[in-house]
Amino acid sequence: MASPHFHDTHEIVIAATLWLMHRYQKTGCKKLARMVEQHLRWMRASATSPVLANACERLSYEWRSVSGAARPVPPPPSLH
């Protein structure tokens, strides 16, 4: 099976972000998590087209569910 050919930087970054997210799901590696977040920040800063802005929103939402960021953090125990 041949690899898909990407024609611009945005397509490459989107594909790389998806790949990193899937690898993170398999490994839980913190370095991969940092790379995903770096890609998402780049996409947010470079979102000059509606297509890239939409992809960034979609990937950010997916990343929150993959990374566990969407899970509520329990409050610390209170001392009575």
Side-chain angles (χ1 to χ4, degrees), residues 13-23 39 58-59 62:
V13 172
I14 291 168
T17 304
L18 284 169
W19 185 87
L20 289 168
M21 289 169 65
H22 289 119
R23 288 298 300 163
H39 279 236
R58 184 176 42 81
L59 290 171
E62 186 177 340

Side-chain angles (χ1 to χ4, degrees), residues 22-60:
H22 289 119
R23 288 298 300 163
Y24 175 80
Q25 279 184 299
K26 292 181 179 184
T27 65
C29 176
K30 292 181 183 197
K31 184 174 182 178
L32 289 172
R34 287 190 302 270
M35 292 173 78
V36 170
E37 291 165 3
Q38 180 182 18
H39 279 236
L40 291 172
R41 279 193 303 273
W42 182 88
M43 285 178 19
R44 249 182 240 109
S46 302
T48 55
S49 72
V51 173
L52 186 59
N54 185 30
C56 182
E57 280 299 313
R58 184 176 42 81
L59 290 171
S60 294

